[in-house]
Each structure stands twice: as C-alpha cells, then as structure tokens.
Amino acid sequence: MSANPSATLNVPEVSKPVTLPTMPGSLGPKVLDIRKLYAETGMFTYDPGFTSTASCESKITFIDGDEGVLLHRGYPIEELAQKSDFMEVCYLLMNGELPNKVEKTEFVKNITYHTMVHEQISSFFHGFRRDAHPMAVMVGVVGALAAFYHDSTDINDPHQRLIASHRLIAKMPTIAAMAYKYSVGQPFVFPQNRFDYAENFLQMMFSVPCEEYKVNPILAKAMDRIFILHADHEQNASTSTVRLAGSSGANPFACIAAGIACLWGPAHGGANEAVLKMLEEIGSPDKVGEVVKAAKDKNSGFRLMGFGHRVYKNYDPRAKVMRETCNEVLDVLGKRDEPLLKLAMALEKVALEDDYFVQKKLYPNVDFYSGIILKAMGFPMSMFTVLFAVARTVGWIAQWNEMIEDPSQKIGRPRQLYTGAGKRSFVSLDKR
Ligand code: ACO
C-alpha cells in the first residue's frame, strides 16, 4: 500500500469512479486534493464557513484543537510566551527560525526606526470625528498608508515587501495610540527609540507631555505577552481575508486594512469586549448559577462569552497563559480583589464542572481573561480589538508573504451553489 493512498469517489451521473489524491502535512490530518474534481465530474464541493476545506498550504502555524496545541514554526505557544519576546516571535513567524543575536539586533533596529508615521498622517486623523470607533480609524488610516509609502507597494519586489512588512509592524502601535489619543482629545505622543516595542506602545498610549511617564516593567512584560499570544492563529477569518485580498495582487497596506475590517466583527476580534460586558452585567458571583443555567437553555439566546472555540475542543493553550498573566497584572496593580476577576474565576469553575460544558467540550478561550487584564491596565473597551490588530499584524504579514511566494498561488475565487431564479426575460417598467 502506498504511503499516501488515493480516495475513490463515486459521483452520481459520472460513469467512472473519480480518484482523489491525498496530501500529507508534517502534522495534522491529510487533505484530499480536489483540484481536478470539477474538470472530471462537473461538480463543485459545498462547504460554507470552510469547515472542511484547507484553503492553502502553510508552514507558519499549527493548531491541534482536540489536544489544545498551538505551535508557531514548531515552537509551542506556552514556551514562546514564557521564554521569548514579541520581536523574536515576529522574526520567527516571518522567517521560519528564531533569530541569532546579530539578526535580532538588526530586526529590532529595523522595526524601531520605522515607528514614526509621515507627518501628513496627523492631518489625516483630524478628518475623523472624535467619537469614531478606533477600529474605523484603523481601517481608514492603515489603508491610507499606501498613499504615503509608494516605495513599498510593488508586491513583486521582495525588498519592497520586506520594507512594507517592517513598516506595518512598526507603525501599527503608533497609529493605534494616535487613534486613542485623538478620541480623548490629548496630543499625539511620538515613539521613543529607547523603549522596546511594548514599552513604546504603553508610553504612546498613556503618557502626556506635562509629566514624566515611567513604564512599569511588569505591565510592559504583560503587554508583550499579550502581543505574543495574539500574533498568529493560522487560517482564521481575518488572515484568510488578508490572503484573499492579497491574491488579487493588492498592495500590503490595503490587504492589512482588509484584515482589520474583518477582525472588527464580534464573532472574531470583538469577543473580549463581549466577555467584559457580560461580566459587568452579571455583576456578582451569586448570579453565576443562574447565568450558567441560561447559557445551557437554547431558548434563552444567551451564550457564555469567552467559552467555546471553532477549533479548540480542549483548553485553549493561550487562555492558560492569559490567566497567569492576569493574576500577575492584578497583583502589581494592587487589584487582586478585583470583583470582575473573582466573578470570572467563579464562572470558570462552575462551567468547567458542568456536564453541558464538559460534554460539548466548551473551555475558556483566549478572550475570557484578556478583557480583564486590559481593563486593569487602563485600556478602554473600544481599544481591545485594536490591540488584537496590532499583535496580529505580524501574522497577517507573514501569511501574506508566504502566499505571494507560493508558486501554486492563484487569485482566490470560490464557486457557489446557485439557488436563485432561472433565466427569464426582462419585463418593462409599465408592465410590472
Ligand atoms: N455557551 C453556551 N453554549 C455554547 C457556547 C457558549 N459559549 N458555545 C457553544 N455552545 C454550544 C452550542 O449551543 C452548540 O450546542 P448544540 O450542539 O446543542 O447545538 C454547541 O455548543 C456547539 O456550538 P457551535 O456554535 O456549533 O460551535 P462553533 O464552533 O460554530 O462556535 C464559537 C464556536 C462561535 C466560538 C462559540 O463557542 C461561541 O459563540 N462562543 C462564545 C463567543 C466567544 O467567546 N467567541 C470567541 C471565540 S475565540 C476568538 O475568536 C479569538
């Protein structure tokens, strides 16, 4: 028997069985190669939500949802979160290997020296309403970067792609902090090259010109870890959006703006905001039993936010690290008795022991704790998804570059099952 046996498919109205080759990955399930299916059978496959479809080949991130495993270029997320830092993880995702000392120094320098934005971008901000949602501002400003950095929009030039990648990773925290400062009516704060990536973001967010700002190293470490935990997650909705936008040859700034737009949705990047709102509405640990009961009742229309995941049918490995980080942050801020944390712990305990959640394999996901940490650090809820976008930019960029370099890459063009009207003749207005 060959190592990669083919599958045989009997298709109605097709005389001969169709042979479909299987393709192995280095980890995870094999895939059925259906590229010739339409040519041989005249039929498409139907898979809304891509629940059984691999849209590309990738070497960047591997998830085993049943076992609760997340690997970036082979390294477990828990080890990266504990032993590495965000800059190294960025280099790893983009290049496939961890950097040596020289490579790391050069990479950090490249990112640090691209953090400033074109001065004209400040004027661009002033066109927005002050009460605009910062994600709306992010979509607009990041898309507009293509109008400012013409020398890094040629996707066929690897050097221009690299410069665009550095620019996007470097400028996202600056743009995110500017969106926040604009919304609260404070002056924009310039990046400072003496700070590392996470420290710099915190100082651009929270410092004001009239007093000195000291970055708390534990909060900076927590910020860095939050960035690591959100850096990439293989072919999720926003990453697939970036790949699809990029498949037409669109420039990198436009593609990342498309990713930000997709991430904005509450079923994707907006979930940590939903968790916090839910905890605030529940209000007290006494109500946990009642809430869990409502979550189990299909007629209530209520779901426990921060629980369950399309891919993880086990504890989300990122949620474990996030839980520890949450404790560290609340300790350093003297908020150990934070009622929301106590409530979250009580809810987690009850849900993890409840038959409904056990049988359906519903575990806390990464969003369950991140909202509490971010709130404690002083971020307003509207910035939660923005932080996700800052961290995920490197994942989007790495996946976009991988797609451009893939010789089998084609423009993304799904097919459909048409169920609309058949062909009919036009009826003039006076006869309708
Ligand atoms: N609370 C109560 N019941 C739930 C929950 C929940 N949070 N999540 C799933 N279920 C139940 C469903 O009712 C369904 O029950 P059934 O089989 O009896 O019909 C079963 O578990 C499977 O749920 P699906 O919605 O079919 O699973 P899917 O994989 O499509 O959805 C999702 C995953 C969207 C994350 C879901 O678990 C959910 O809505 N969770 C709450 C929102 C949330 O936390 N989202 C963040 C996801 S992580 C991220 O995007 C970074």
Side-chain angles (χ1 to χ4, degrees):
M1 206 167 97
S2 87
N4 295 308
S6 301
T8 307
L9 185 69
N10 289 305
V11 183
E13 297 148 38
V14 175
S15 53
K16 270 200 328 201
V18 181
T19 304
L20 299 173
T22 58
M23 295 166 69
S26 46
L27 294 171
K30 287 181 178 175
V31 300
L32 274 176
D33 180 354
I34 59 162
R35 279 175 289 185
K36 296 210 172 114
L37 187 73
Y38 178 61
E40 291 184 9
T41 67
M43 283 192 199
F44 301 135
T45 54
Y46 180 65
D47 184 19
F50 302 106
T51 53
S52 298
T53 299
S55 61
C56 62
E57 184 183 325
S58 182
K59 293 182 169 56
I60 300 173
T61 291
F62 173 76
I63 302 174
D64 182 335
D66 293 329
E67 296 299 323
V69 170
L70 168 59
L71 310 177
H72 289 321
R73 303 283 191 181
Y75 295 103
I77 188 68
E78 297 90 335
E79 280 193 51
L80 291 172
Q82 270 148 25
K83 299 178 187 166
S84 187
D85 60 51
F86 185 61
M87 281 296 97
E88 273 191 352
V89 173
C90 287
Y91 186 96
L92 174 70
L93 288 169
M94 286 176 66
N95 298 287
E97 296 297 335
L98 287 165
N100 62 28
K101 278 189 186 155
V102 175
E103 289 163 338
K104 184 169 177 182
T105 307
E106 197 193 334
F107 182 73
V108 171
K109 189 172 169 217
N110 275 329
I111 299 301
T112 306
Y113 282 85
H114 276 111
T115 48
M116 277 177 72
V117 291
H118 192 291
E119 191 51 22
Q120 201 66 18
I121 288 177
S122 308
S123 323
F124 189 70
F125 265 89
H126 290 280
F128 290 104
R129 280 172 54 143
R130 295 261 178 199
D131 61 354
H133 194 287
M135 282 299 273
V137 176
M138 295 301 288
V139 174
V141 176
V142 174
L145 292 180
F148 290 90
Y149 301 104
H150 300 153
D151 58 348
S152 54
T153 52
D154 178 358
I155 63 153
N156 298 313
D157 177 345
H159 183 67
Q160 291 203 25
R161 288 207 306 273
L162 185 66
I163 299 293
S165 305
H166 290 162
R167 282 184 168 144
L168 277 157
I169 295 168
K171 293 182 200 311
M172 280 294 279
T174 313
I175 297 169
M178 287 171 86
Y180 170 64
K181 288 295 190 190
Y182 185 71
S183 73
V184 291
Q186 290 182 5
F188 297 139
V189 177
F190 282 114
Q192 293 278 336
N193 290 352
R194 68 197 158 98
F195 289 124
D196 72 20
Y197 193 84
E199 290 170 340
N200 206 11
F201 179 54
L202 290 176
Q203 76 90 19
M204 287 190 287
M205 277 290 301
F206 298 121
S207 72
V208 285
C210 38
E211 59 186 21
E212 198 195 342
Y213 177 78
K214 284 215 171 85
V215 181
N216 180 319
I218 296 181
L219 296 190
K221 180 82 200 142
M223 191 76 260
D224 193 79
R225 200 173 277 169
I226 291 169
F227 286 153
I228 294 176
L229 294 177
H230 288 90
D232 191 48
H233 212 226
E234 51 116 312
Q235 309 312 319
N236 57 84
S238 57
T239 302
S240 299
T241 301
V242 170
R243 278 186 178 257
L244 196 56
S247 75
S248 72
N251 74 71
F253 304 106
C255 296
I256 301 304
I260 298 172
C262 177
L263 186 74
W264 192 0
H268 191 4
N272 53 10
E273 199 174 323
V275 172
L276 205 65
K277 280 186 185 148
M278 175 190 77
L279 292 175
E280 283 176 350
E281 270 166 36
I282 299 172
S284 138
D286 316 341
K287 294 209 185 131
V288 163
E290 204 181 298
V291 165
V292 170
K293 199 171 160 207
K296 295 193 289 185
D297 176 7
K298 292 259 181 291
N299 299 322
S300 72
F302 171 73
R303 279 188 172 196
L304 219 48
M305 290 292 119
F307 271 76
H309 196 276
R310 168 61 65 79
V311 179
Y312 293 115
K313 301 302 169 198
N314 201 326
Y315 215 102
D316 179 339
R318 300 168 303 170
K320 280 189 196 152
V321 183
M322 202 60 102
R323 192 179 199 259
E324 284 164 25
T325 309
C326 189
N327 284 324
E328 282 168 24
V329 167
L330 294 177
D331 270 346
V332 75
L333 293 173
K335 294 186 179 174
R336 202 71 185 79
D337 291 328
E338 168 70 49
L340 283 186
L341 181 71
K342 286 192 165 163
L343 177 57
M345 298 283 190
L347 195 58
E348 186 196 34
K349 188 168 186 300
V350 173
L352 284 176
E353 287 167 1
D354 190 289
D355 261 5
Y356 173 95
F357 287 86
V358 173
Q359 271 165 23
K360 292 189 189 298
K361 299 185 177 168
L362 298 169
Y363 293 87
N365 57 48
V366 66
D367 294 312
F368 190 66
Y369 288 102
S370 62
I372 301 170
I373 310 181
L374 296 175
K375 181 177 187 277
M377 287 171 82
F379 290 100
M381 258 196 253
S382 60
M383 284 297 288
F384 291 2
T385 320
V386 175
L387 295 191
F388 195 158
V390 171
R392 185 55 59 85
T393 295
V394 64
W396 292 330
I397 277 293
Q399 302 265 355
W400 172 80
N401 271 300
E402 183 178 61
M403 179 201 63
I404 306 271
E405 284 166 11
D406 181 350
S408 66
Q409 186 266 329
K410 286 174 187 287
I411 184 167
R413 188 14 178 127
R415 306 305 287 251
Q416 63 171 8
L417 171 65
Y418 177 71
T419 53
K423 189 177 176 195
R424 48 186 170 163
S425 290
F426 182 78
V427 181
S428 60
L429 187 59
D430 58 335
K431 297 212 174 98
R432 278 179 243 154

